[in-house]
Amino acid sequence: GAGVSQSPSNKVTEKGKDVELRCDPISGHTALYWYRQSLGQGLEFLIYFQGNSAPDKSGLPSDRFSAERTGGSVSTLTIQRTQQEDSAVYLCASSLTPVPTGSSTEAFFGQGTRLTVV
Amino acid sequence: AQSVTQLDSQVPVFEEAPVELRCNYSSSVSVYLFWYVQYPNQGLQLLLKYLSGSTLVKGINGFEAEFNKSQTSFHLRKPSVHISDTAEYFCAVRRINTDKLIFGTGTRLQVFP
């Protein structure tokens, strides 16, 4: 596609329910990132996928959070048993960055999914 | 581990005045540096980036940034701001041997008429 696409754009869920957030990266991009943007907290790194390598999950805040990337393209971020503190905008980004050649391109961001847990 | 510090959470400035948004990073290895901008109710877009070469980098909308290795800084500057520059600005760093992109907490630039 022309850009990174995220769905849904808005999600309201009840506390304790599970939610799935979807990200369609730019076609051909091998790197995919998930970030969480909370008011006053900036962009918090959650997880990073690069090609067929094991994902870097070091930013996931708890075991309620998980993500997968099927076929090296679409990614789904799942939050189980949602809590009110999970309310935030979840941003996905993709890039062409190859490693370890060292060349670098920027990450392109989707518009995000605004999650509200009530 | 690398980290990014944006010391100013908010920067108010009058239109046509110069502005500097500060960014400092820490990393034990060489890095690539980026500035992203997020206009109200919009997604993030790249403003400029430093990969190598000249330490003064020019970006879109008249912004520029200077990489200072000794001070581990990458401050963003614009000589004369416009109302339309009102936005959130994020500094980001990536080590050259990885793709993990780490962001600062952001600086809200508010331009007043």
Side-chain angles (χ1 to χ4, degrees):
Chain A
V4 178
S5 177
Q6 291 187 246
S7 60
S9 55
N10 281 282
K11 176 72 176 178
V12 180
T13 190
E14 291 181 352
K15 179 181 173 182
K17 300 282 189 185
D18 297 352
V19 295
E20 284 189 353
L21 313 180
R22 178 188 168 100
C23 173
D24 278 285
I26 293 173
S27 178
H29 279 194
T30 56
L32 186 147
Y33 310 80
W34 282 98
Y35 295 89
R36 179 167 68 176
Q37 186 175 23
S38 306
L39 195 61
Q41 298 296 316
L43 282 160
E44 178 187 4
F45 168 79
L46 297 178
I47 187 169
Y48 158 66
F49 297 89
Q50 171 57 272
N52 296 320
S53 303
D56 180 341
K57 303 179 182 180
S58 60
L60 293 178
S62 76
D63 59 8
R64 295 186 297 105
F65 287 73
S66 63
E68 63 177 23
R69 189 178 185 190
T70 53
S73 181
V74 172
S75 177
T76 302
L77 177 69
T78 301
I79 309 174
Q80 296 178 309
R81 306 181 303 281
T82 51
Q83 303 295 313
Q84 287 186 329
E85 61 262 28
D86 300 333
S87 296
V89 176
Y90 289 82
L91 292 167
C92 176
S94 70
S95 76
L96 266 173
T97 315
V99 176
T101 63
S103 61
S104 171
T105 64
E106 65 266 27
F108 294 84
F109 281 81
Q111 297 286 15
T113 293
R114 181 176 296 279
L115 175 67
T116 304
V117 182
V118 298
Chain B
Q2 75 248 44
S3 67
V4 182
T5 302
Q6 292 182 248
L7 291 170
D8 307 302
S9 59
Q10 294 188 65
V11 173
V13 64
F14 286 109
E15 194 173 21
E16 297 183 6
V19 71
E20 178 179 84
L21 306 183
R22 295 181 292 170
C23 173
N24 287 86
Y25 69 93
S26 65
S27 176
S28 57
V29 298
S30 296
V31 296
Y32 299 130
L33 295 155
F34 306 82
W35 274 98
Y36 281 80
V37 59
Q38 186 177 35
Y39 296 105
N41 300 314
Q42 293 188 28
L44 275 82
Q45 64 182 88
L46 183 73
L47 204 54
L48 49 78
K49 61 185 177 184
Y50 171 78
L51 305 182
S52 65
S54 173
T55 56
L56 184 64
V57 180
K58 294 189 183 296
I60 61 172
N61 300 338
F63 283 92
E64 63 181 32
E66 185 159 19
F67 170 55
N68 188 317
K69 188 174 182 179
S70 62
Q71 297 186 5
T72 59
S73 68
F74 191 54
H75 301 332
L76 181 70
R77 302 185 184 100
K78 186 169 182 177
S80 177
V81 294
H82 302 291
I83 297 285
S84 59
D85 292 323
T86 294
E88 188 91 21
Y89 292 79
F90 293 94
C91 182
V93 62
R94 223 194 77 207
R95 290 183 301 178
I96 61 170
N97 59 342
T98 75
D99 292 318
K100 188 172 173 179
L101 190 61
I102 300 298
F103 284 82
T105 51
T107 297
R108 174 166 292 281
L109 175 65
Q110 181 111 37
V111 182
F112 295 95

